[in-house]
Amino acid sequence: SQKIEQNSEALNIQEGKTATLTCNYTNYSPAYLQWYRQDPGRGPVFLLLIRENEKEKRKERLKVTFDTTLKQSLFHITASQPADSATYLCALAGETGFQKLVFGTGTRLLVSP
Amino acid sequence: GAVVSQHPSRVICKSGTSVKIECRSLDFQATTMFWYRQFPKKSLMLMATSNEGSKATYEQGVEKDKFLINHASLTLSTLTVTSAHPEDSSFYICSAMRGQTNTEAFFGQGTRLTVV
C-alpha cells in the first residue's frame, strides 16, 4: 500500500534562512503531489501542486521539486519568517481516485527571529 | 480561494450521545466532499467520500453505522458520530474540491470532538 514519509522531528531554523522539507513515498507513482500548511487546531491550507511531468514549481518564496525516480519531493521556503512556523504536509493522489488524497504525517517548522 | 466552512469548531458531548458536524462549501458547488480524522501529531486519515445524492463511500476499517454521512445538497455534507465514546474524541476535518477534475482541496477549519 501507499506509504508517505515526512520527517517527524521539528525543523528549527533562523529567520532569513531557507527551510527545506522532505517528502518520500513508496509503492506508488502519483500523477501529482501537493503541499499543504496546517496551523494548530486548523484545517490544512493548499500551497502548491506539482505534476509528475514537472521537475520544479515556484510560488513567491516557495519552491517544490518532484523527483519521480527517487520518489521524493522537496519543499523549500526561502527567506523564512517566524510567520512561516507551522506544520507542512505533503499529499498524494490516492490509488483509488485522483481526488482522494493520502497525507504524510507532516513536518513542523519553527522559524526563530 | 474557495471557502469551506465547518461547524461546530468544538464540541463536547457525553458518551452515548450523537454529534452532527456540518461542512459547507460557501462559494462553489461540491458534488464530492471528503471527511478526515486526525489524531495529535498524526496524519489526516481519510474516513469517507461523501457523494451528493448517493451513499457515501467509506474507507476500510471505518464503521459506516458509526459515522453517518449525508450529502443532501451540492453545498452541504454532514457527519454524524453516533453513540459517541471517548475513543471517538478526535479532530474531524472535511474538504471539498471545486469540480470533478480539480485536485486542489479546500478544507474546513476542523471540529474538535471531545467525548466525556
Side-chain angles (χ1 to χ4, degrees):
Chain A
S1 62
Q2 292 172 280
K3 190 174 180 183
I4 304 171
E5 291 182 346
Q6 291 184 258
N7 192 340
S8 58
E9 293 183 15
L11 177 63
N12 291 276
I13 64 167
Q14 203 79 25
E15 182 176 10
K17 301 291 185 183
T18 296
T20 299
L21 286 68
T22 305
C23 175
N24 295 295
Y25 59 94
T26 59
N27 299 332
Y28 187 52
S29 296
Y32 64 87
L33 183 148
Q34 301 185 19
W35 284 88
Y36 288 80
R37 168 182 173 144
Q38 186 175 24
D39 290 285
R42 309 289 293 179
V45 174
F46 172 81
L47 295 175
L48 278 169
L49 178 151
I50 187 165
R51 301 188 186 281
E52 60 180 341
N53 59 349
E54 297 175 318
K55 296 292 184 186
E56 183 179 297
K57 203 80 168 280
R58 290 175 186 261
K59 180 182 176 182
E60 299 173 353
R61 294 185 295 111
L62 308 180
K63 184 178 87 171
V64 171
T65 63
F66 194 8
D67 189 326
T68 54
T69 301
L70 290 178
K71 293 189 183 294
Q72 180 182 80
S73 175
L74 299 179
F75 177 78
H76 306 272
I77 305 176
T78 59
S80 59
Q81 304 165 2
D84 294 327
S85 299
T87 296
Y88 291 88
L89 308 165
C90 73
L92 307 179
E95 292 175 290
T96 54
F98 79 98
Q99 288 192 330
K100 292 172 69 171
L101 298 176
V102 179
F103 285 84
T105 52
T107 298
R108 189 169 175 216
L109 174 66
L110 297 171
V111 182
S112 305
Chain B
V3 179
V4 174
S5 177
Q6 195 172 332
H7 178 79
S9 57
R10 285 180 182 273
V11 59
I12 301 173
C13 71
K14 292 184 177 180
S15 286
T17 62
S18 295
V19 173
K20 180 186 283 188
I21 303 169
E22 292 187 347
C23 180
R24 293 181 185 273
S25 55
L26 298 185
D27 55 354
F28 67 100
Q29 294 182 331
T31 54
T32 304
M33 292 185 176
F34 302 89
W35 287 96
Y36 293 84
R37 182 174 180 175
Q38 187 176 34
F39 292 102
K41 297 185 179 180
K42 296 290 185 182
S43 180
L44 280 75
M45 182 190 78
L46 180 65
M47 298 174 65
T49 303
S50 173
N51 305 296
E52 187 269 335
S54 64
K55 290 183 179 180
T57 305
Y58 290 82
E59 296 300 304
Q60 194 170 15
V62 178
E63 300 175 60
K64 61 181 181 182
D65 295 330
K66 174 74 169 174
F67 300 100
L68 299 178
I69 292 173
N70 185 283
H71 195 151
S73 77
L74 287 171
T75 59
L76 174 64
S77 174
T78 60
L79 168 67
T80 301
V81 182
T82 63
S83 187
H85 289 100
E87 57 264 31
D88 298 325
S89 299
S90 191
F91 192 54
Y92 293 87
I93 315 174
C94 70
S95 77
M97 291 181 176
R98 199 202 305 258
Q100 299 281 352
T101 57
N102 280 349
T103 54
E104 174 186 343
F106 297 97
F107 285 85
Q109 58 267 57
T111 297
R112 170 72 59 193
L113 171 64
T114 304
V115 184
V116 297

